[in-house]
Amino acid sequence: MTAPTGVPADPQSPDAGPRRRAGRPAAAVLGQDGITTAALQLIGRSGYDGFTMAALARTLNVAPSALYNHVSSKRDVLVLVQDHLTSFVDVAGFETGPWEQAVRDWAWSYRDVFSKHTPLIPVIAVLPVTDAPKTLAMYEAVSAGFGRAGFPQERIIPAIVALESFIFGSAYDVTAPADIFDSGSMAAATPHFTSAVRRLAENVDEKPADVAFSLGLEALLAGLGALRSA
Amino acid sequence: MTAPTGVPADPQSPDAGPRRRAGRPAAAVLGQDGITTAALQLIGRSGYDGFTMAALARTLNVAPSALYNHVSSKRDVLVLVQDHLTSFVDVAGFETGPWEQAVRDWAWSYRDVFSKHTPLIPVIAVLPVTDAPKTLAMYEAVSAGFGRAGFPQERIIPAIVALESFIFGSAYDVTAPADIFDSGSMAAATPHFTSAVRRLAENVDEKPADVAFSLGLEALLAGLGALRSA
DNA sequence: CCACTAAATGAATGACGTTCATTTAGAATG
DNA sequence: CATTCTAAATGAACGTCATTCATTTAGTGG
């Protein structure tokens, strides 16, 4: 219905760079790879609040609707980002070193990566591995390590899932405000809790989230390690 | 600007019940308690997708904007719901029974409650306890139990946080699709993982999420329990 | 009796994700 | 070289939400 103008006027504000005309450009918007890295940049710059399809399109000098030629939903973009981030998780230890240290390195790096991306956790946690090849590769490396370490086959997946659950929950913990346990005016009514919190606050050297993560991880390592036969 | 009619015509569709007139009714919209239980009902009926401020208002026979007299944001409602749900978590064991069984009961019930409310987890995980009195009460009961069981004061909060992290992550796991680990066409490229998954699938008696949760919880119980002095 | 105030209204706003008809211009085909 | 095919981009709608605001209403307390 709208009168086509052949060369549409650029409606962008003057600060925006020159916008590509319609038609097939040199290499599209760079496809899913380009979208993924652009999304990662945008998230790094503006956080997940500023991460909007419109903002992502602006980053790529493209109209928002153009994104839907390469991706079928915003959730799709999040999945791409998630899978990309997984390649930063350290699984090297599983090929060489002892099981315990391998799990330690893996778990810490896994937590660190996603503590900066907690909005992805609800997505990852229920995502079929088919939709995330790099994540699948990570599972393969970890599974192989568990097998080599002498885990019975039927315990490998449950053990990994248990560790992952702990990791995801702990990633949230990293982002919690420092005063999350400050009971404020209710302190008198909660003596045991309040005194325990005070003791925790006395330790100024280590971050509370790291203390809790270390404690839980070492407990899991000891408990799960006992399942090995070798 | 709009001409006031004194008695405004009810613009609702015929299926809606009689709408209250403006002004101060008998007991408001029931205040925060009423909103909380209405929200819980609505979520139970329509899930978190259907849980919208408009839908919540309709449940209460009220205009959406009226909710903002009692609550300052949708997130506020979620916090109210979260705190209410916490009262369903079982902490009875901490007052009577042995520590291990108390933690078991607590952890399982905690996971079960929030596995049906995973959209609340990002909210809970970073929520200051001041904003959630019932949650604070739960922490008090748990802290007291840990103290009685002989935990050193400075380890109580980290231990609870570690357990909670594991619980939150595991709550997501409960909602994961059954085929989440089906590697599909990539099966050949991931032999270790694929064979481990196959072994898991052979167990038809127990749900995978329960196996993983039990495994991780028992490991944590053993590992953390060793911290007790008594 | 009157001023005060809690509470409800409904219209308006501003994001945001997503859809769709249409256009464009390389690539492929003959 | 002409024609057809098609991936990719456009911009104008939508529809859905949360949230705000000026205004009205009706108990309550002085």
Side-chain angles (χ1 to χ4, degrees), chain A residues 105-127:
Chain A
D105 293 346
W106 171 67
W108 279 97
S109 68
Y110 202 166
R111 186 202 69 144
D112 287 345
V113 167
F114 285 102
S115 64
K116 289 172 198 124
H117 297 271
T118 53
L120 294 178
I121 291 178
V123 177
I124 317 173
V126 297
L127 187 72

Side-chain angles (χ1 to χ4, degrees), chain B residues 96-161:
Chain B
T96 63
W99 175 83
E100 247 195 44
Q101 190 57 37
V103 174
R104 242 191 297 265
D105 293 348
W106 171 68
W108 278 98
S109 68
Y110 202 166
R111 184 202 72 144
D112 287 346
V113 167
F114 285 102
S115 64
K116 289 172 199 126
H117 298 271
T118 52
L120 293 178
I121 290 179
V123 177
I124 316 174
V126 297
L127 186 72
V129 292
T130 312
D131 300 348
K134 291 175 189 164
T135 306
L136 180 54
M138 180 188 77
Y139 284 134
E140 171 64 10
V142 177
S143 303
F146 273 61
R148 255 191 304 268
F151 270 85
Q153 288 285 320
E154 70 276 12
R155 298 295 178 91
I156 292 180
I157 300 298
I160 293 174
V161 168

Side-chain angles (χ1 to χ4, degrees), chain B residues 4 6 21-24 51-54 65 68 73-74:
Chain B
R21 283 219 289 302
R24 177 185 282 178
F51 178 57
T52 190
M53 291 301 268
S65 53
Y68 290 85
S73 69
K74 183 179 183 178

Side-chain angles (χ1 to χ4, degrees), chain A residues 65 105 159 210:
Chain A
S65 53
D105 293 346
D210 288 351

Side-chain angles (χ1 to χ4, degrees), chain A residues 4 6 21-24 52-54 65 68 73-74:
Chain A
R21 283 218 288 303
R24 177 186 282 180
T52 197
M53 291 301 268
S65 53
Y68 290 85
S73 69
K74 183 180 183 178

Side-chain angles (χ1 to χ4, degrees), chain A residues 30-154:
Chain A
L30 297 170
Q32 295 197 328
D33 280 1
I35 290 182
T36 304
T37 54
L40 212 45
Q41 276 177 23
L42 178 58
I43 289 165
R45 188 163 11 96
S46 324
Y48 280 87
D49 280 350
F51 178 59
T52 197
M53 291 301 268
L56 179 57
R58 195 160 352 105
T59 294
L60 292 160
N61 281 323
V62 142
S65 53
L67 296 172
Y68 290 85
N69 285 318
H70 308 274
V71 132
S72 70
S73 69
K74 183 180 183 178
R75 184 172 184 279
D76 254 41
V77 180
L78 292 178
V79 169
L80 290 172
V81 170
Q82 181 269 317
D83 199 40
H84 184 75
L85 286 172
T86 300
S87 43
F88 300 148
V89 175
D90 179 14
V91 295
F94 286 108
E95 287 159 29
T96 63
W99 175 83
E100 248 196 42
Q101 190 56 36
V103 175
R104 240 191 299 266
D105 293 346
W106 171 67
W108 279 97
S109 68
Y110 202 166
R111 186 202 69 144
D112 287 345
V113 167
F114 285 102
S115 64
K116 289 172 198 124
H117 297 271
T118 53
L120 294 178
I121 291 178
V123 177
I124 317 173
V126 297
L127 187 72
V129 293
T130 311
D131 300 347
K134 291 175 188 162
T135 305
L136 181 54
M138 180 188 77
Y139 284 133
E140 171 65 9
V142 177
S143 302
F146 273 60
R148 254 190 305 268
F151 270 83
Q153 288 285 322
E154 71 276 12

